[in-house]
Amino acid sequence: MRIVIAGGHGQIARRLTRLLVARGDTPIAIVRNPEHIPDVRSDGAGAVLIDLEKADPGALPGALSGADAVVFAAGAGPGSGVARKDTVDRAAAEALADAASHAGVHRYILVSSMGAGQEPPEDASEAFAAYLRAKTASERYLAGHEVDWTILRPGRLTDEPGTGRVRLDTEAPQGSVPRDDVAAVIVALLHEPLTSGLILEVVSGDVPIEAAVAAVTELED
């Protein structure tokens, strides 16, 4: 598969790239900073230089030409303000969905967050509340879009080594999950079309990732 990854220099994205390369897939990393191109190429990805916040929407479908799937793994980042939570975590995700439709790319994986889909907790900071609202808006937009989407909501992300075992379901308890395992789940979702139309939450657990993904396909029945 040829897979375009938005936010291609991010921590999950680079892990995802390396896993895809090992599997024989062809990842293409969308990056906005030219200084990041050598890094993603060293991981084995092709590179496309586009700032999704500022790009002409008409130019985006060309970046997806020939792709079998897209993954939105971009994010404004922990140091960003409220405005960029909207322009990156919502608007850029929506623009990529539109571009995928125009380019004829039918598979779309959105990396969201646990806590999306509902109002933020009252004690949430202004920035985190804006982040969750942006993710919720991007999920709703994608769910109404004509692509074969899957939404993945990870728990609190860590840099601990992956275990290859997770809890993956439509609802999961609050918890953490290594970025390694999130990337591995995305790979499995990309290669399992029966997960289309599902909103899934993932935290660390006891089930091997391939088995966990196979189990959630039964939710479509």
Side-chain angles (χ1 to χ4, degrees), residues 42-214:
S42 71
D43 294 332
V48 176
L49 185 63
I50 296 178
D51 187 337
L52 292 175
E53 290 181 89
K54 301 175 182 177
D56 179 351
L60 290 179
L64 308 183
S65 178
D68 299 295
V70 296
V71 176
F72 188 85
S80 59
V82 169
R84 291 202 69 225
K85 304 300 185 190
D86 183 70
T87 57
V88 178
D89 293 288
R90 180 197 62 79
E94 294 177 3
L96 190 69
D98 291 340
S101 291
H102 284 102
V105 182
H106 300 293
R107 191 76 173 102
Y108 190 120
I109 307 290
L110 173 66
V111 181
S112 186
S113 172
M114 286 187 74
Q118 55 191 325
E119 267 299 294
E122 291 184 2
D123 60 351
S125 68
E126 182 183 17
F128 188 61
Y131 169 74
L132 290 178
R133 290 190 178 107
K135 286 297 188 186
T136 296
S138 65
E139 288 186 4
R140 289 174 179 167
Y141 188 85
L142 187 59
H145 217 278
E146 294 182 357
V147 292
D148 297 327
W149 53 267
T150 304
I151 293 166
L152 182 65
R153 297 173 175 168
R156 184 177 58 83
L157 298 169
T158 76
D159 290 324
E160 296 175 4
T163 66
R165 294 176 177 270
V166 296
R167 177 165 178 174
L168 182 71
D169 208 334
T170 53
E171 291 187 23
Q174 290 290 329
S176 62
V177 60
R179 290 178 172 87
D180 287 349
D181 287 336
V182 175
V185 168
I186 295 170
V187 172
L189 293 174
L190 284 166
H191 290 86
E192 179 45 84
L194 292 179
T195 59
S196 295
L198 296 178
I199 300 175
L200 300 170
E201 298 184 346
V202 62
V203 294
S204 292
D206 299 321
V207 181
I209 287 171
E210 293 288 344
V213 170

Side-chain angles (χ1 to χ4, degrees), residues 30-55:
I30 294 178
V31 296
R32 65 183 181 88
N33 186 341
E35 295 181 0
H36 293 163
I37 290 176
D39 288 340
V40 298
R41 285 182 174 164
S42 71
D43 294 332
V48 176
L49 185 63
I50 296 178
D51 187 337
L52 292 175
E53 290 181 89
K54 301 175 182 177

